[in-house]
Amino acid sequence: MASDSHRFRVVVTDYDYVSFDEERTVLDPIGAELVLEHARAEDELIAVGRGADALLVQYGRITARVIDALDGCRAIVRYGVGVDQVNIPAATRRGIWVCNVPDYGTDEVSDHAVTLLLASARKLVPMANSVQAGHWDVNEFKPIGRLRGRTLGVIGLGRIGSLVAHKAQAFGLRVIASDPHRSTDYFAERDVESVVLDRLLAESDFVSVNAPLTDETRHLIGERALGLMKPSAILVNTARGGLVDGAALARALREGQIAGAALDVTEQEPIPSGDPLLGLVNCVLTPHAAWYSEEASRALKTMAAEEVARILQGQPPRCPVNQVA
Amino acid sequence: MTDYDYEHLDEIHRVLEPLGVELSEHQATTEAEVIDVARGAVALLVEYVPITEAVIGALDGLRLIVRFGVGYDNVDVAAATRHGVSVCNVPDFGSEDIADHAFLLLLAAARKLVPMANSVQAGRWDVNEFKPIFRLRGQTVGIVGLGRTGSAVAARARAFGMRAVAYHPNRPPEYFAERGATPVELDELLRTADVVSLQATLNPQTRHLIGERELGLMKPTAILVNTARGGIVDGAALARALREGQIAGAALDVVEREPIPRDEPLLGLENCLITPHGAYYTEESVRDLKTFAAEEVARLLRGESLRNPVNRIT
Ligand SMILES: NC(=O)c1ccc[n+]([C@@H]2O[C@H](COP(=O)([O-])OP(=O)(O)OC[C@H]3O[C@@H](n4cnc5c(N)ncnc54)[C@H](O)[C@@H]3O)[C@@H](O)[C@H]2O)c1
């Protein structure tokens, strides 16, 4: 509990939110002070972390150096699912909990992934722009194939991947998936066939990336993987930009090695102005928006603050991604 | 073939050649041109050109009109019936494809996909520009016209955790239950739906079914999707409603005048997504459409009963 001698200091290291009403609703009753910062560089993060009892992190990279400079911090809670920007072993060594919020927006991300899939398949963005430019001719967008009977390959059949599969099945798509950490029963419950990655790439008309970014999955989709895909295939990525080698993908799209891509995440965000993925008619880009809805945003902020409150009050966290002795 | 916008008609030739039938291909755009090119025809295959009483009356040996698609509002069916001419449509060549496009329009409008994608190309990267977006799970989709396509839209909506309500006159409760939608009256649908999806045929009862009064009943957060026919919606009233924020957005594959004229008030609105009457199109649907249409002509010539007549000749 907060005492007169120590008021909890909860530091938001970086954010692009417009309000913090949800956090205050949770943290005010335990007497915690909420400090809002805009630190992105390592030295800035070290500076703002001083004296913090807990960090709430959106995009800032919490490296080993940042963690080693913390004094008295007990929790690092990531606003979101992916914790790839936090050095988890370093936190564990220092006895600091690292938590994520895995379930605030699974519907939003899977809806967005299916939207990107359908939009690429039906060439929606160029079609809509052509009408605004004064054209009215669907023949400009040939060929478009029927969805029913085609194959979707989901890489990473977790919370989001499973919902992508379910929603895609409603369009008559056959779903296959690769996920080394799931059982045969788990696949069967979802009516999804388990395949190894190379077979998934070779057989799929659509590939949806829904795996976490880890050392093993970085550049999982690079030149070799793209070379296995069908020339008519479309790649959808709503997971993390680092799973895909962007330069190799841009080449594959320009040379027609695959038909299209739709990406909500890129290797560098915001996407740099000279990025080779920009300006391609067969590449749809959205600004890391898949997670967002008003409801998801409120749930995320409430759940992240609740996790901080639990740890500061000595209760076990709900969604730890490490184990602290 | 009075008019068409396909690259080739191979499927039609394949069906008709064995019967020794000649397919005469034209691009008529007016009544007079149709009368001119169709003299002596037994059957007409029609895409967009109007087949009026004047046309039907002028063509003596005509026995069948096949409309290349689901809607047949460009054919005067009553006149055809009076002259003993059968009219068929092809209702089932692409209802799944149309439902796919309709649901894509729903998703894209809800998630503001097109302005979002264009903003990234213009050098921006900020999801906050697109507030608010609402969660689809738990929302209600209101389907006007629960036919083949409407039912397919309802099935897709359920997979996304949306509730389906539908308006379709003169259908028993079982009809709705079998298609997984709750029956409602039109006004109630408009008042309660978060997304209104139009899947009705255009006829005198449905022309301007959605006008100023109906738009006024809709929620300010609601989205209107139309993949049916432009004439079902009063486009001028819709443009006003979109500009004044009376409803949140629209996504239209069809408009009242096609090709869309430059002065169309629905153009240039950030919250109005428009595609060029492309919902029906996939390579497979167009192949099926041509085959199914030609097979109706073949049935007529072989003296078999027609598969999809929309009138009855006594
Ligand atoms: N774009 C956004 O706004 C947004 C929002 C939320 C989450 N995400 C991202 O979505 C992804 C999925 O999130 P989730 O909630 O479904 O996570 P999850 O942990 O529930 O699922 C991930 C799945 O990937 C599997 N996996 C791990 N390594 C794999 C490999 N090498 N090959 C195939 N599968 C592998 C895991 O076994 C697990 O089943 C994450 O990368 C997350 O960062 C993006």
Side-chain angles (χ1 to χ4, degrees):
Chain A
M1 284 299 283
S3 68
D4 294 339
S5 59
H6 181 73
R7 190 171 177 215
F8 293 134
R9 187 178 162 84
V10 178
V11 174
V12 178
T13 58
D14 65 301
Y15 64 95
D16 65 4
Y17 303 125
V18 277
S19 95
F20 285 85
D21 295 347
E22 286 83 4
E23 288 87 338
R24 292 206 169 90
T25 304
V26 174
L27 296 174
D28 283 355
I30 66 159
E33 176 195 10
L34 192 68
V35 181
L36 308 180
E37 300 285 359
H38 276 295
R40 281 292 189 98
E42 200 175 39
D43 289 336
E44 291 167 8
L45 288 160
I46 289 172
V48 305
R50 223 159 265 142
D53 293 291
L55 300 183
L56 281 164
V57 182
Q58 194 176 13
Y59 299 115
R61 294 185 48 77
I62 311 301
T63 60
R65 265 191 71 216
V66 175
I67 289 169
D68 288 337
L70 293 166
D71 47 0
C73 179
R74 288 151 66 193
I76 299 170
V77 179
R78 152 91 172 117
Y79 275 122
V81 182
V83 284
D84 42 273
Q85 85 259 46
V86 179
N87 189 319
I88 296 166
T92 310
R93 270 198 306 278
R94 294 283 322 274
I96 301 171
W97 289 107
V98 179
C99 303
N100 67 347
V101 185
D103 47 1
Y104 71 98
T106 39
D107 262 308
E108 282 74 7
V109 183
S110 55
D111 285 354
H112 201 83
V114 176
T115 307
L116 291 177
L117 184 163
L118 295 172
S120 299
R122 298 199 58 82
K123 304 182 187 173
L124 180 73
V125 175
M127 214 185 244
N129 287 337
S130 84
V131 171
Q132 296 299 334
H135 301 234
W136 187 267
D137 187 4
V138 68
N139 290 318
E140 287 175 24
F141 303 96
K142 282 175 163 270
I144 292 175
R146 178 170 281 172
L147 289 174
R148 180 163 297 277
R150 291 214 148 70
T151 299
L152 164 66
V154 175
I155 301 177
L157 195 65
R159 286 187 186 79
I160 294 168
S162 297
L163 270 178
V164 170
H166 175 70
K167 290 169 183 176
Q169 283 162 344
F171 297 88
L173 289 169
R174 176 177 88 100
V175 184
I176 60 179
S178 82
D179 192 323
H181 311 294
R182 303 288 181 178
S183 69
T184 314
D185 284 352
Y186 180 92
F187 278 89
E189 277 159 25
R190 287 159 178 75
D191 198 14
V192 171
E193 187 189 343
S194 169
V195 296
V196 296
L197 181 63
D198 283 8
R199 202 181 126 204
L200 180 146
L201 294 166
E203 273 188 24
S204 296
D205 300 294
F206 304 97
V207 173
S208 175
V209 183
N210 298 102
L213 179 61
T214 62
D215 289 341
E216 293 89 79
T217 62
R218 183 170 303 278
H219 282 199
L220 188 68
I221 307 298
E223 197 175 320
R224 193 194 74 88
L226 291 162
L228 293 175
M229 290 173 67
K230 295 184 182 178
S232 56
I234 286 167
L235 177 71
V236 177
N237 186 7
T238 56
R240 278 292 176 275
L243 284 148
V244 177
D245 177 346
L249 175 60
R251 265 197 310 279
L253 289 170
R254 218 170 299 106
E255 292 167 8
Q257 196 174 19
I258 67 169
L263 315 170
D264 185 53
V265 286
T266 52
E267 285 186 272
Q268 272 188 66
E269 296 176 10
I271 195 167
S273 60
D275 196 289
L277 288 166
L278 282 168
L280 300 173
V281 76
N282 55 351
C283 185
V284 178
L285 295 161
T286 56
H288 204 138
W291 65 276
Y292 165 64
S293 76
E294 285 299 303
E295 293 84 348
S297 167
R298 280 196 294 271
L300 171 61
K301 291 150 77 60
T302 302
M303 289 161 136
E306 283 172 351
E307 196 72 313
V308 167
R310 266 190 289 271
I311 293 171
L312 293 183
Q313 293 174 290
Q315 296 162 13
R318 187 180 71 106
C319 297
V321 295
N322 63 351
Q323 268 312 317
V324 172
Chain B
M1 183 96 223
T2 57
D3 63 308
Y4 61 97
D5 66 357
Y6 302 102
E7 267 166 29
H8 65 84
L9 300 173
D10 295 351
E11 292 88 349
I12 304 181
H13 288 289
R14 214 166 291 141
V15 173
L16 296 182
E17 251 160 38
L19 294 166
V21 177
E22 181 203 357
L23 179 70
S24 162
E25 301 166 19
H26 304 280
Q27 292 294 1
T29 56
T30 63
E31 289 175 82
E33 282 171 26
V34 178
I35 294 170
D36 192 39
V37 302
R39 229 173 273 286
V42 183
L44 297 183
L45 293 166
V46 178
E47 194 168 18
Y48 298 118
V49 71
I51 306 298
T52 58
E53 169 110 59
V55 173
I56 296 165
L59 297 176
D60 284 342
L62 186 66
R63 292 170 58 201
L64 173 67
I65 298 165
V66 184
R67 155 70 193 145
F68 240 67
V70 183
Y72 44 89
D73 42 276
N74 57 330
V75 178
D76 187 337
V77 179
T81 310
R82 278 196 298 280
H83 287 87
V85 177
S86 300
V87 179
C88 292
N89 67 345
V90 187
D92 52 356
F93 72 99
S95 25
E96 296 277 336
D97 304 288
I98 298 167
D100 289 347
H101 197 82
F103 210 81
L104 167 58
L105 291 181
L106 179 165
L107 289 169
R111 297 210 58 84
K112 304 188 180 169
L113 177 73
V114 174
M116 223 181 232
N118 288 338
S119 84
V120 174
Q121 297 298 338
R124 294 194 300 276
W125 187 272
D126 186 4
V127 61
N128 289 316
E129 286 176 28
F130 304 96
K131 283 176 166 272
I133 290 174
F134 298 103
R135 178 171 285 173
L136 288 176
R137 183 170 298 276
Q139 287 196 8
T140 298
V141 58
I143 297 167
V144 178
L146 193 63
R148 283 186 186 77
T149 312
S151 308
V153 169
R156 284 154 182 69
R158 277 195 304 280
F160 284 72
M162 300 178 82
R163 192 171 86 92
V165 302
Y167 166 70
H168 196 122
N170 308 319
R171 287 285 188 284
E174 312 83 79
Y175 179 88
F176 293 87
E178 282 159 14
R179 288 160 181 77
T182 307
V184 288
E185 287 307 317
L186 182 61
D187 282 5
E188 191 193 337
L189 181 150
L190 295 167
R191 265 191 223 103
T192 54
D194 298 292
V195 179
V196 174
S197 186
L198 303 179
Q199 255 78 50
T201 43
L202 178 63
N203 56 42
Q205 288 76 48
T206 61
R207 180 170 298 281
H208 282 200
L209 185 70
I210 307 298
E212 194 175 325
R213 188 191 77 87
E214 291 73 21
L215 291 162
L217 295 176
M218 288 173 67
K219 296 184 182 180
T221 50
I223 292 167
L224 179 71
V225 175
N226 189 4
T227 57
R229 278 290 178 274
I232 299 176
V233 178
D234 177 346
L238 175 60
R240 267 197 310 280
L242 288 169
R243 220 172 298 106
E244 292 166 9
Q246 197 174 20
I247 68 169
L252 314 171
D253 186 52
V254 286
V255 289
E256 285 184 273
R257 295 169 294 167
E258 296 178 9
I260 197 165
R262 297 312 299 252
D263 64 356
E264 169 63 57
L266 288 164
L267 279 172
L269 300 173
E270 168 101 328
N271 55 352
C272 186
L273 167 58
I274 307 175
T275 56
H277 204 138
Y280 73 91
Y281 163 62
T282 62
E283 287 298 309
E284 293 84 352
S285 68
V286 168
R287 180 202 61 204
D288 290 352
L289 173 59
K290 290 189 273 192
T291 308
F292 296 171
E295 283 170 350
E296 290 289 31
V297 178
R299 282 190 195 90
L300 172 85
L301 298 175
R302 288 195 298 251
E304 298 166 12
S305 53
L306 299 166
R307 192 173 70 106
N308 287 298
V310 300
N311 61 351
R312 275 195 40 203
I313 308 301
T314 44

